Amino acid sequence: MQDLCNVTGQLNNGEWEIFDIKGSRASRPTENVIPNYPDQCIYREIILGFVYREENDRSRWLTHEEISEGVLNAIRLQQDRYIIGQIEPWVKRP
């Protein structure tokens, strides 16, 4: 990964972004490790959650379409951390 970072930095001659897409477990502080990237790299984290419907007490993982739309939104919004779906209540994960 470090080689990729070095080459990307050289090609772009400045700042560049990396979008790291992770599963819901990454929302837990003890489970999430953010790699050490060079200063010119802007690190963006996207966490995939789930969908929970309280009315029928059911949950499900995100669909491909929800993930795709969420990733595009995350790229547009340029937030350091973006969560697609929900990550709480944790005990309701599918």
Side-chain angles (χ1 to χ4, degrees):
M1 180 57 98
Q2 190 61 43
D3 289 339
L4 177 62
C5 292
N6 292 336
V7 170
T8 303
Q10 290 169 0
L11 292 175
N12 290 328
N13 292 322
E15 289 187 341
W16 53 281
E17 295 174 288
I18 187 165
F19 292 86
D20 194 1
I21 302 172
K22 299 178 175 182
S24 60
R25 189 167 302 277
S27 68
R28 309 327 265 178
T30 58
E31 299 289 329
N32 193 9
V33 176
I34 296 176
N36 187 18
Y37 290 105
D39 291 340
Q40 70 267 24
C41 174
I42 300 169
Y43 179 80
R44 310 276 190 204
E45 182 178 50
I46 301 171
I47 296 183
L48 305 177
F50 60 94
V51 176
Y52 172 66
R53 299 285 182 234
E54 196 170 327
E55 59 272 6
N56 61 4
D57 195 35
R58 300 192 93 166
S59 60
R60 64 172 175 78
W61 294 117
L62 299 167
T63 64
H64 295 293
E65 184 176 322
E66 290 167 333
I67 293 169
S68 299
E69 288 176 12
V71 168
L72 291 173
N73 283 334
I75 293 169
R76 273 192 291 274
L77 293 174
Q78 301 290 296
Q79 296 175 350
D80 290 339
R81 186 179 214 210
Y82 187 87
I83 298 170
I84 302 171
Q86 63 190 82
I87 52 174
E88 297 293 341
W90 185 254
V91 296
K92 298 295 184 180
R93 286 173 65 233

